[in-house]
Structures are given as C-alpha cells and as structure tokens.
C-alpha cells in the first residue's frame, strides 16, 4: 500500500536552514504530483508547495515563496523541502501528500505521511 | 488567490444528528473541491473529492454537494467517531491550492 514517511524535522534557530525528506513507496512515484502541507500548533492546514511529477514545475504559497524550495528525486522515490531563512511562524508539522491521480495536479490527496515537526526557536 | 471560507468554525452536535458544513470559494473552482477529516495528532484523511465523490472506505453517511463557489459536507447521522475537525480544499489551479480554516465538530 501507499506509504509516505517524512523525516528531517528538528529544532532550529531563526534564520537557519533545514531540509525535510519524504520517502515514498507502494506506488509509481514518478507519475504523481506531490505537495507539502503544514500545520502550526493548534491551527489549520496550510498548503506550502507543489511539484509536478517530473519536477519541471513547482509553485509555492505566498508565506514561503523565496525561502522554501521543493524538489524530488524520482530515482530515489523521495520528495524534499528545503527550508531557508526560517522564522518562528514556520513552526509546525509538515506533511507530504500525494495527488490521487497520475500526471495531474488537479487531484485531491488521498495519501499523507505522518508528518515531521519543525520548531523554530532561539 | 482563491480564498476558501468555511462555516461554522465550531459546531456542537449530538450522536445521531444531521449536520452540514459549508465552504465558499472567492471564485469558481468548478467541481475541484475536497473534504478532509482530521483528528488530533493525525494526518488529514480524504473523505470526498470532486465535490461529491466519496473516497473508498468512507461511510455513506458522509456526502458532499455543490459546484462553482458553494459547497456543503453533510453527515446524515453523527457517530462518535465523527467528532473531529473538517477542512475543505480547492485544487482547481496547479499554482495554488487553498484550504478552508476548518470546522471543529464537537460533542454537545
């Protein structure tokens, strides 16, 4: 079955960087658009970034544009999120999710990882 | 940017009640609207996609309707397992997905 496992969350100081990973299995990773979604403590879901199945397109939410970079390695079945210039408001659980239909971003996300916690604090 | 507004933010109800949550989009998203359920400490679970298509394994007491800018999630007869937070999400544009702010369904 589909499995998504995030890693890389940590406690970091403001202004520092972090890279999150999401290892995928149970489906053809290279056929699916992937997204990152985050959730601040006690708050709602916030869409962060999306990447096309082949890595040729990527888009970001306004709050992370210019600071975060989404990427993927289809040979390793792994999705990444590089977080730079971290701020206290970036604190939260980061989830990776798979678009439910191959080849398209116009699809809901039936599969999510368990999340990885990023804490930005001095 | 497309804004998604859910109402109410909090809903108190009893087991057996019929409840409806509304999600409004600031511009048309056609049918590209999903509903998720989230319980504390767990990842969101997809309930409904394409506005009204029930995800496999989701109980039939959940239903979705709407198109364009107005959508609803209905639970026909609340069960104890349904008390959770519900989010709508539009996915009409590759460049920007958006979630509603969430509706917390509480036991009355």
């Amino acid at each position: 079955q589909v499995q998504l496992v995030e890693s890389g969350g940590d406690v970091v100081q403001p202004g520092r960087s972090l890279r999150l990973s999401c290892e995928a299995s149970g489906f053809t990773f290279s056929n699916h658009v992937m997204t990152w979604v985050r959730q601040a403590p006690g708050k709602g879901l916030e869409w962060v970034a999306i990447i096309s199945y082949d890595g040729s397109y990527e888009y970001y939410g306004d709050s992370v544009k210019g600071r975060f970079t989404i990427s993927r390695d289809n040979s390793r079945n792994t999705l990444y999120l590089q977080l730079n210039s971290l701020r206290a408001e970036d604190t939260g659980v980061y989830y990776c999710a798979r678009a439910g239909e191959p080849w398209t971003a116009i699809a809901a996300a039936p599969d999510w990882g368990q999340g990885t916690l990023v804490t930005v604090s001095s | 940017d497309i804004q998604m507004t859910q109402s109410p933010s909090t809903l108190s109800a009893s087991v057996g009640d019929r409840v409806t949550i509304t999600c409004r989009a600031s511009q048309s998203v056609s049918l590209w609207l999903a509903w998720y359920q989230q319980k504390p400490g767990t990842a969101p679970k997809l309930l409904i996609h394409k506005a009204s298509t029930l995800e496999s394994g989701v109980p039939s007491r959940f239903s979705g309707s709407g198109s364009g800018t107005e959508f609803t999630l209905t639970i026909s007869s609340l069960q104890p397992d349904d008390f959770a937070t519900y989010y709508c999400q539009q996915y009409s544009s590759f460049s920007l997905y958006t979630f509603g702010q969430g509706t917390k369904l509480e036991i009355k």
Side-chain angles (χ1 to χ4, degrees), chain A residues 30-62:
Chain A
S30 58
N31 289 358
H32 288 263
V33 167
M34 298 293 294
T35 66
W36 286 98
V37 174
R38 70 182 180 182
Q39 187 167 37
K43 303 297 184 182
L45 301 172
E46 179 187 9
W47 174 78
V48 173
I50 188 170
I51 188 166
S52 61
Y53 59 90
D54 59 358
S56 59
Y57 295 97
E58 55 198 71
Y59 293 97
Y60 300 89
D62 287 343

PDB file of all heavy atoms in Angstrom, chain A residues 30-62:
ATOM      1  N   SER A  30       7.167   8.526  -9.725  1.00  0.00           N
ATOM      2  CA  SER A  30       7.465   9.438 -10.828  1.00  0.00           C
ATOM      3  C   SER A  30       6.235   9.819 -11.640  1.00  0.00           C
ATOM      4  O   SER A  30       6.331  10.686 -12.516  1.00  0.00           O
ATOM      5  CB  SER A  30       8.513   8.815 -11.755  1.00  0.00           C
ATOM      6  OG  SER A  30       8.053   7.581 -12.250  1.00  0.00           O
ATOM      7  N   ASN A  31       5.087   9.206 -11.353  1.00  0.00           N
ATOM      8  CA  ASN A  31       3.860   9.534 -12.079  1.00  0.00           C
ATOM      9  C   ASN A  31       2.982  10.555 -11.360  1.00  0.00           C
ATOM     10  O   ASN A  31       1.975  10.990 -11.919  1.00  0.00           O
ATOM     11  CB  ASN A  31       3.009   8.271 -12.299  1.00  0.00           C
ATOM     12  CG  ASN A  31       3.610   7.325 -13.297  1.00  0.00           C
ATOM     13  OD1 ASN A  31       4.668   7.597 -13.877  1.00  0.00           O
ATOM     14  ND2 ASN A  31       2.969   6.192 -13.496  1.00  0.00           N
ATOM     15  N   HIS A  32       3.347  10.902 -10.123  1.00  0.00           N
ATOM     16  CA  HIS A  32       2.427  11.683  -9.301  1.00  0.00           C
ATOM     17  C   HIS A  32       2.972  13.038  -8.861  1.00  0.00           C
ATOM     18  O   HIS A  32       4.120  13.135  -8.417  1.00  0.00           O
ATOM     19  CB  HIS A  32       2.026  10.897  -8.053  1.00  0.00           C
ATOM     20  CG  HIS A  32       1.099   9.769  -8.340  1.00  0.00           C
ATOM     21  ND1 HIS A  32      -0.272   9.874  -8.189  1.00  0.00           N
ATOM     22  CD2 HIS A  32       1.340   8.518  -8.790  1.00  0.00           C
ATOM     23  CE1 HIS A  32      -0.832   8.735  -8.533  1.00  0.00           C
ATOM     24  NE2 HIS A  32       0.123   7.899  -8.912  1.00  0.00           N
ATOM     25  N   VAL A  33       2.113  14.041  -8.986  1.00  0.00           N
ATOM     26  CA  VAL A  33       2.375  15.338  -8.374  1.00  0.00           C
ATOM     27  C   VAL A  33       2.420  15.152  -6.858  1.00  0.00           C
ATOM     28  O   VAL A  33       1.667  14.337  -6.297  1.00  0.00           O
ATOM     29  CB  VAL A  33       1.260  16.328  -8.772  1.00  0.00           C
ATOM     30  CG1 VAL A  33       1.291  17.577  -7.930  1.00  0.00           C
ATOM     31  CG2 VAL A  33       1.346  16.650 -10.258  1.00  0.00           C
ATOM     32  N   MET A  34       3.303  15.896  -6.213  1.00  0.00           N
ATOM     33  CA  MET A  34       3.456  15.806  -4.761  1.00  0.00           C
ATOM     34  C   MET A  34       3.360  17.200  -4.142  1.00  0.00           C
ATOM     35  O   MET A  34       3.735  18.204  -4.768  1.00  0.00           O
ATOM     36  CB  MET A  34       4.799  15.181  -4.403  1.00  0.00           C
ATOM     37  CG  MET A  34       4.999  13.758  -4.889  1.00  0.00           C
ATOM     38  SD  MET A  34       3.923  12.550  -4.084  1.00  0.00           S
ATOM     39  CE  MET A  34       4.533  12.596  -2.387  1.00  0.00           C
ATOM     40  N   THR A  35       2.868  17.243  -2.920  1.00  0.00           N
ATOM     41  CA  THR A  35       2.717  18.523  -2.234  1.00  0.00           C
ATOM     42  C   THR A  35       3.252  18.447  -0.810  1.00  0.00           C
ATOM     43  O   THR A  35       3.379  17.354  -0.238  1.00  0.00           O
ATOM     44  CB  THR A  35       1.247  18.974  -2.171  1.00  0.00           C
ATOM     45  OG1 THR A  35       0.519  18.051  -1.347  1.00  0.00           O
ATOM     46  CG2 THR A  35       0.612  19.029  -3.535  1.00  0.00           C
ATOM     47  N   TRP A  36       3.543  19.598  -0.262  1.00  0.00           N
ATOM     48  CA  TRP A  36       3.828  19.760   1.167  1.00  0.00           C
ATOM     49  C   TRP A  36       2.736  20.643   1.763  1.00  0.00           C
ATOM     50  O   TRP A  36       2.360  21.672   1.178  1.00  0.00           O
ATOM     51  CB  TRP A  36       5.188  20.414   1.397  1.00  0.00           C
ATOM     52  CG  TRP A  36       6.365  19.531   1.147  1.00  0.00           C
ATOM     53  CD1 TRP A  36       7.130  19.484   0.008  1.00  0.00           C
ATOM     54  CD2 TRP A  36       6.938  18.579   2.049  1.00  0.00           C
ATOM     55  NE1 TRP A  36       8.145  18.564   0.159  1.00  0.00           N
ATOM     56  CE2 TRP A  36       8.042  17.988   1.402  1.00  0.00           C
ATOM     57  CE3 TRP A  36       6.643  18.159   3.357  1.00  0.00           C
ATOM     58  CZ2 TRP A  36       8.846  17.006   2.003  1.00  0.00           C
ATOM     59  CZ3 TRP A  36       7.420  17.187   3.944  1.00  0.00           C
ATOM     60  CH2 TRP A  36       8.515  16.633   3.275  1.00  0.00           C
ATOM     61  N   VAL A  37       2.258  20.232   2.918  1.00  0.00           N
ATOM     62  CA  VAL A  37       1.251  20.969   3.671  1.00  0.00           C
ATOM     63  C   VAL A  37       1.762  21.084   5.097  1.00  0.00           C
ATOM     64  O   VAL A  37       2.355  20.135   5.614  1.00  0.00           O
ATOM     65  CB  VAL A  37      -0.108  20.230   3.650  1.00  0.00           C
ATOM     66  CG1 VAL A  37      -1.128  20.925   4.551  1.00  0.00           C
ATOM     67  CG2 VAL A  37      -0.636  20.128   2.209  1.00  0.00           C
ATOM     68  N   ARG A  38       1.541  22.215   5.738  1.00  0.00           N
ATOM     69  CA  ARG A  38       1.994  22.347   7.111  1.00  0.00           C
ATOM     70  C   ARG A  38       0.841  22.759   8.033  1.00  0.00           C
ATOM     71  O   ARG A  38      -0.206  23.227   7.576  1.00  0.00           O
ATOM     72  CB  ARG A  38       3.142  23.345   7.230  1.00  0.00           C
ATOM     73  CG  ARG A  38       2.756  24.790   7.006  1.00  0.00           C
ATOM     74  CD  ARG A  38       3.984  25.685   7.099  1.00  0.00           C
ATOM     75  NE  ARG A  38       3.660  27.092   6.895  1.00  0.00           N
ATOM     76  CZ  ARG A  38       4.569  28.060   6.884  1.00  0.00           C
ATOM     77  NH1 ARG A  38       5.862  27.777   7.055  1.00  0.00           N
ATOM     78  NH2 ARG A  38       4.186  29.320   6.693  1.00  0.00           N
ATOM     79  N   GLN A  39       1.088  22.572   9.320  1.00  0.00           N
ATOM     80  CA  GLN A  39       0.068  22.902  10.317  1.00  0.00           C
ATOM     81  C   GLN A  39       0.766  23.443  11.564  1.00  0.00           C
ATOM     82  O   GLN A  39       1.484  22.695  12.241  1.00  0.00           O
ATOM     83  CB  GLN A  39      -0.775  21.670  10.658  1.00  0.00           C
ATOM     84  CG  GLN A  39      -1.955  21.935  11.552  1.00  0.00           C
ATOM     85  CD  GLN A  39      -2.901  20.757  11.596  1.00  0.00           C
ATOM     86  OE1 GLN A  39      -2.480  19.595  11.579  1.00  0.00           O
ATOM     87  NE2 GLN A  39      -4.204  21.034  11.647  1.00  0.00           N
ATOM     88  N   ALA A  40       0.578  24.712  11.826  1.00  0.00           N
ATOM     89  CA  ALA A  40       1.121  25.319  13.030  1.00  0.00           C
ATOM     90  C   ALA A  40       0.377  24.758  14.246  1.00  0.00           C
ATOM     91  O   ALA A  40      -0.776  24.315  14.123  1.00  0.00           O
ATOM     92  CB  ALA A  40       0.986  26.829  12.968  1.00  0.00           C
ATOM     93  N   PRO A  41       1.002  24.774  15.399  1.00  0.00           N
ATOM     94  CA  PRO A  41       0.352  24.219  16.600  1.00  0.00           C
ATOM     95  C   PRO A  41      -1.014  24.838  16.855  1.00  0.00           C
ATOM     96  O   PRO A  41      -1.151  26.063  16.939  1.00  0.00           O
ATOM     97  CB  PRO A  41       1.344  24.561  17.714  1.00  0.00           C
ATOM     98  CG  PRO A  41       2.666  24.699  17.035  1.00  0.00           C
ATOM     99  CD  PRO A  41       2.363  25.255  15.686  1.00  0.00           C
ATOM    100  N   GLY A  42      -2.033  23.992  16.934  1.00  0.00           N
ATOM    101  CA  GLY A  42      -3.382  24.448  17.220  1.00  0.00           C
ATOM    102  C   GLY A  42      -4.074  25.181  16.089  1.00  0.00           C
ATOM    103  O   GLY A  42      -5.158  25.734  16.289  1.00  0.00           O
ATOM    104  N   LYS A  43      -3.458  25.194  14.907  1.00  0.00           N
ATOM    105  CA  LYS A  43      -4.016  25.940  13.773  1.00  0.00           C
ATOM    106  C   LYS A  43      -4.457  25.011  12.658  1.00  0.00           C
ATOM    107  O   LYS A  43      -4.346  23.783  12.758  1.00  0.00           O
ATOM    108  CB  LYS A  43      -2.966  26.928  13.229  1.00  0.00           C
ATOM    109  CG  LYS A  43      -2.452  27.913  14.259  1.00  0.00           C
ATOM    110  CD  LYS A  43      -3.551  28.820  14.770  1.00  0.00           C
ATOM    111  CE  LYS A  43      -2.982  29.872  15.728  1.00  0.00           C
ATOM    112  NZ  LYS A  43      -4.054  30.738  16.290  1.00  0.00           N
ATOM    113  N   GLY A  44      -4.934  25.600  11.577  1.00  0.00           N
ATOM    114  CA  GLY A  44      -5.430  24.825  10.456  1.00  0.00           C
ATOM    115  C   GLY A  44      -4.340  24.416   9.480  1.00  0.00           C
ATOM    116  O   GLY A  44      -3.150  24.667   9.685  1.00  0.00           O
ATOM    117  N   LEU A  45      -4.769  23.779   8.418  1.00  0.00           N
ATOM    118  CA  LEU A  45      -3.846  23.303   7.384  1.00  0.00           C
ATOM    119  C   LEU A  45      -3.480  24.442   6.443  1.00  0.00           C
ATOM    120  O   LEU A  45      -4.336  25.248   6.059  1.00  0.00           O
ATOM    121  CB  LEU A  45      -4.505  22.177   6.583  1.00  0.00           C
ATOM    122  CG  LEU A  45      -4.941  20.960   7.386  1.00  0.00           C
ATOM    123  CD1 LEU A  45      -5.746  20.009   6.499  1.00  0.00           C
ATOM    124  CD2 LEU A  45      -3.737  20.243   7.979  1.00  0.00           C
ATOM    125  N   GLU A  46      -2.213  24.491   6.062  1.00  0.00           N
ATOM    126  CA  GLU A  46      -1.733  25.497   5.126  1.00  0.00           C
ATOM    127  C   GLU A  46      -0.944  24.808   4.020  1.00  0.00           C
ATOM    128  O   GLU A  46       0.047  24.122   4.271  1.00  0.00           O
ATOM    129  CB  GLU A  46      -0.835  26.525   5.821  1.00  0.00           C
ATOM    130  CG  GLU A  46      -0.296  27.592   4.873  1.00  0.00           C
ATOM    131  CD  GLU A  46       0.736  28.518   5.515  1.00  0.00           C
ATOM    132  OE1 GLU A  46       1.172  28.250   6.661  1.00  0.00           O
ATOM    133  OE2 GLU A  46       1.111  29.519   4.868  1.00  0.00           O
ATOM    134  N   TRP A  47      -1.393  25.005   2.781  1.00  0.00           N
ATOM    135  CA  TRP A  47      -0.674  24.456   1.644  1.00  0.00           C
ATOM    136  C   TRP A  47       0.641  25.219   1.473  1.00  0.00           C
ATOM    137  O   TRP A  47       0.668  26.444   1.521  1.00  0.00           O
ATOM    138  CB  TRP A  47      -1.537  24.576   0.391  1.00  0.00           C
ATOM    139  CG  TRP A  47      -0.820  24.168  -0.841  1.00  0.00           C
ATOM    140  CD1 TRP A  47      -0.574  22.903  -1.263  1.00  0.00           C
ATOM    141  CD2 TRP A  47      -0.236  25.047  -1.807  1.00  0.00           C
ATOM    142  NE1 TRP A  47       0.128  22.944  -2.449  1.00  0.00           N
ATOM    143  CE2 TRP A  47       0.345  24.239  -2.802  1.00  0.00           C
ATOM    144  CE3 TRP A  47      -0.152  26.430  -1.924  1.00  0.00           C
ATOM    145  CZ2 TRP A  47       1.011  24.770  -3.898  1.00  0.00           C
ATOM    146  CZ3 TRP A  47       0.500  26.967  -3.014  1.00  0.00           C
ATOM    147  CH2 TRP A  47       1.077  26.134  -3.988  1.00  0.00           C
ATOM    148  N   VAL A  48       1.752  24.477   1.287  1.00  0.00           N
ATOM    149  CA  VAL A  48       3.074  25.097   1.234  1.00  0.00           C
ATOM    150  C   VAL A  48       3.657  25.109  -0.174  1.00  0.00           C
ATOM    151  O   VAL A  48       4.106  26.151  -0.666  1.00  0.00           O
ATOM    152  CB  VAL A  48       4.041  24.348   2.188  1.00  0.00           C
ATOM    153  CG1 VAL A  48       5.476  24.849   2.024  1.00  0.00           C
ATOM    154  CG2 VAL A  48       3.584  24.488   3.628  1.00  0.00           C
ATOM    155  N   ALA A  49       3.674  23.942  -0.824  1.00  0.00           N
ATOM    156  CA  ALA A  49       4.330  23.863  -2.127  1.00  0.00           C
ATOM    157  C   ALA A  49       3.851  22.640  -2.884  1.00  0.00           C
ATOM    158  O   ALA A  49       3.362  21.676  -2.294  1.00  0.00           O
ATOM    159  CB  ALA A  49       5.850  23.807  -1.964  1.00  0.00           C
ATOM    160  N   ILE A  50       4.035  22.691  -4.203  1.00  0.00           N
ATOM    161  CA  ILE A  50       3.643  21.586  -5.078  1.00  0.00           C
ATOM    162  C   ILE A  50       4.685  21.435  -6.171  1.00  0.00           C
ATOM    163  O   ILE A  50       5.297  22.425  -6.599  1.00  0.00           O
ATOM    164  CB  ILE A  50       2.244  21.840  -5.670  1.00  0.00           C
ATOM    165  CG1 ILE A  50       1.721  20.642  -6.437  1.00  0.00           C
ATOM    166  CG2 ILE A  50       2.234  23.087  -6.548  1.00  0.00           C
ATOM    167  CD1 ILE A  50       0.257  20.759  -6.830  1.00  0.00           C
ATOM    168  N   ILE A  51       4.903  20.205  -6.604  1.00  0.00           N
ATOM    169  CA  ILE A  51       5.861  19.941  -7.668  1.00  0.00           C
ATOM    170  C   ILE A  51       5.259  18.951  -8.647  1.00  0.00           C
ATOM    171  O   ILE A  51       4.577  18.002  -8.244  1.00  0.00           O
ATOM    172  CB  ILE A  51       7.207  19.434  -7.103  1.00  0.00           C
ATOM    173  CG1 ILE A  51       8.275  19.336  -8.197  1.00  0.00           C
ATOM    174  CG2 ILE A  51       7.030  18.112  -6.358  1.00  0.00           C
ATOM    175  CD1 ILE A  51       9.689  19.162  -7.658  1.00  0.00           C
ATOM    176  N   SER A  52       5.493  19.193  -9.923  1.00  0.00           N
ATOM    177  CA  SER A  52       4.964  18.308 -10.950  1.00  0.00           C
ATOM    178  C   SER A  52       5.624  16.938 -10.863  1.00  0.00           C
ATOM    179  O   SER A  52       6.642  16.757 -10.209  1.00  0.00           O
ATOM    180  CB  SER A  52       5.184  18.919 -12.335  1.00  0.00           C
ATOM    181  OG  SER A  52       6.564  19.092 -12.581  1.00  0.00           O
ATOM    182  N   TYR A  53       5.045  15.971 -11.578  1.00  0.00           N
ATOM    183  CA  TYR A  53       5.526  14.592 -11.478  1.00  0.00           C
ATOM    184  C   TYR A  53       6.970  14.438 -11.956  1.00  0.00           C
ATOM    185  O   TYR A  53       7.717  13.594 -11.458  1.00  0.00           O
ATOM    186  CB  TYR A  53       4.609  13.653 -12.270  1.00  0.00           C
ATOM    187  CG  TYR A  53       4.504  13.994 -13.736  1.00  0.00           C
ATOM    188  CD1 TYR A  53       5.383  13.442 -14.664  1.00  0.00           C
ATOM    189  CD2 TYR A  53       3.531  14.869 -14.205  1.00  0.00           C
ATOM    190  CE1 TYR A  53       5.298  13.750 -16.002  1.00  0.00           C
ATOM    191  CE2 TYR A  53       3.436  15.186 -15.542  1.00  0.00           C
ATOM    192  CZ  TYR A  53       4.318  14.638 -16.449  1.00  0.00           C
ATOM    193  OH  TYR A  53       4.233  14.961 -17.772  1.00  0.00           O
ATOM    194  N   ASP A  54       7.369  15.318 -12.888  1.00  0.00           N
ATOM    195  CA  ASP A  54       8.728  15.223 -13.423  1.00  0.00           C
ATOM    196  C   ASP A  54       9.650  16.304 -12.870  1.00  0.00           C
ATOM    197  O   ASP A  54      10.796  16.425 -13.300  1.00  0.00           O
ATOM    198  CB  ASP A  54       8.714  15.286 -14.950  1.00  0.00           C
ATOM    199  CG  ASP A  54       8.092  16.577 -15.465  1.00  0.00           C
ATOM    200  OD1 ASP A  54       7.641  17.402 -14.658  1.00  0.00           O
ATOM    201  OD2 ASP A  54       8.065  16.755 -16.696  1.00  0.00           O
ATOM    202  N   GLY A  55       9.163  17.098 -11.957  1.00  0.00           N
ATOM    203  CA  GLY A  55       9.978  18.147 -11.356  1.00  0.00           C
ATOM    204  C   GLY A  55      10.123  19.401 -12.179  1.00  0.00           C
ATOM    205  O   GLY A  55      10.882  20.300 -11.809  1.00  0.00           O
ATOM    206  N   SER A  56       9.417  19.491 -13.288  1.00  0.00           N
ATOM    207  CA  SER A  56       9.597  20.631 -14.181  1.00  0.00           C
ATOM    208  C   SER A  56       8.820  21.872 -13.732  1.00  0.00           C
ATOM    209  O   SER A  56       9.154  22.981 -14.172  1.00  0.00           O
ATOM    210  CB  SER A  56       9.200  20.257 -15.610  1.00  0.00           C
ATOM    211  OG  SER A  56       7.850  19.838 -15.649  1.00  0.00           O
ATOM    212  N   TYR A  57       7.816  21.710 -12.887  1.00  0.00           N
ATOM    213  CA  TYR A  57       7.043  22.846 -12.383  1.00  0.00           C
ATOM    214  C   TYR A  57       6.936  22.766 -10.873  1.00  0.00           C
ATOM    215  O   TYR A  57       6.804  21.681 -10.313  1.00  0.00           O
ATOM    216  CB  TYR A  57       5.627  22.862 -12.990  1.00  0.00           C
ATOM    217  CG  TYR A  57       5.611  23.093 -14.466  1.00  0.00           C
ATOM    218  CD1 TYR A  57       5.514  22.021 -15.342  1.00  0.00           C
ATOM    219  CD2 TYR A  57       5.675  24.368 -14.995  1.00  0.00           C
ATOM    220  CE1 TYR A  57       5.500  22.223 -16.716  1.00  0.00           C
ATOM    221  CE2 TYR A  57       5.663  24.579 -16.365  1.00  0.00           C
ATOM    222  CZ  TYR A  57       5.570  23.501 -17.216  1.00  0.00           C
ATOM    223  OH  TYR A  57       5.552  23.705 -18.569  1.00  0.00           O
ATOM    224  N   GLU A  58       6.995  23.926 -10.266  1.00  0.00           N
ATOM    225  CA  GLU A  58       6.831  23.991  -8.822  1.00  0.00           C
ATOM    226  C   GLU A  58       6.184  25.325  -8.475  1.00  0.00           C
ATOM    227  O   GLU A  58       6.434  26.337  -9.153  1.00  0.00           O
ATOM    228  CB  GLU A  58       8.193  23.847  -8.121  1.00  0.00           C
ATOM    229  CG  GLU A  58       9.217  24.855  -8.587  1.00  0.00           C
ATOM    230  CD  GLU A  58      10.640  24.438  -8.219  1.00  0.00           C
ATOM    231  OE1 GLU A  58      11.154  23.479  -8.827  1.00  0.00           O
ATOM    232  OE2 GLU A  58      11.213  25.108  -7.340  1.00  0.00           O
ATOM    233  N   TYR A  59       5.347  25.304  -7.456  1.00  0.00           N
ATOM    234  CA  TYR A  59       4.679  26.521  -7.003  1.00  0.00           C
ATOM    235  C   TYR A  59       4.662  26.543  -5.492  1.00  0.00           C
ATOM    236  O   TYR A  59       4.722  25.487  -4.850  1.00  0.00           O
ATOM    237  CB  TYR A  59       3.261  26.616  -7.568  1.00  0.00           C
ATOM    238  CG  TYR A  59       3.217  26.806  -9.059  1.00  0.00           C
ATOM    239  CD1 TYR A  59       3.042  25.730  -9.906  1.00  0.00           C
ATOM    240  CD2 TYR A  59       3.375  28.070  -9.624  1.00  0.00           C
ATOM    241  CE1 TYR A  59       3.013  25.894 -11.284  1.00  0.00           C
ATOM    242  CE2 TYR A  59       3.346  28.245 -11.000  1.00  0.00           C
ATOM    243  CZ  TYR A  59       3.166  27.158 -11.817  1.00  0.00           C
ATOM    244  OH  TYR A  59       3.145  27.325 -13.179  1.00  0.00           O
ATOM    245  N   TYR A  60       4.540  27.750  -4.947  1.00  0.00           N
ATOM    246  CA  TYR A  60       4.665  27.939  -3.519  1.00  0.00           C
ATOM    247  C   TYR A  60       3.559  28.838  -2.976  1.00  0.00           C
ATOM    248  O   TYR A  60       3.059  29.740  -3.662  1.00  0.00           O
ATOM    249  CB  TYR A  60       6.021  28.581  -3.190  1.00  0.00           C
ATOM    250  CG  TYR A  60       7.187  27.741  -3.649  1.00  0.00           C
ATOM    251  CD1 TYR A  60       7.727  27.887  -4.917  1.00  0.00           C
ATOM    252  CD2 TYR A  60       7.714  26.761  -2.812  1.00  0.00           C
ATOM    253  CE1 TYR A  60       8.776  27.095  -5.346  1.00  0.00           C
ATOM    254  CE2 TYR A  60       8.774  25.967  -3.232  1.00  0.00           C
ATOM    255  CZ  TYR A  60       9.284  26.129  -4.502  1.00  0.00           C
ATOM    256  OH  TYR A  60      10.325  25.331  -4.923  1.00  0.00           O
ATOM    257  N   GLY A  61       3.228  28.616  -1.713  1.00  0.00           N
ATOM    258  CA  GLY A  61       2.349  29.543  -1.015  1.00  0.00           C
ATOM    259  C   GLY A  61       3.069  30.860  -0.766  1.00  0.00           C
ATOM    260  O   GLY A  61       4.300  30.893  -0.660  1.00  0.00           O
ATOM    261  N   ASP A  62       2.314  31.919  -0.647  1.00  0.00           N
ATOM    262  CA  ASP A  62       2.903  33.257  -0.505  1.00  0.00           C
ATOM    263  C   ASP A  62       3.814  33.371   0.714  1.00  0.00           C
ATOM    264  O   ASP A  62       4.830  34.071   0.672  1.00  0.00           O
ATOM    265  CB  ASP A  62       1.798  34.312  -0.415  1.00  0.00           C
ATOM    266  CG  ASP A  62       1.118  34.539  -1.746  1.00  0.00           C
ATOM    267  OD1 ASP A  62       1.692  34.139  -2.785  1.00  0.00           O
ATOM    268  OD2 ASP A  62       0.013  35.097  -1.755  1.00  0.00           O
TER     269      ASP A  62
END
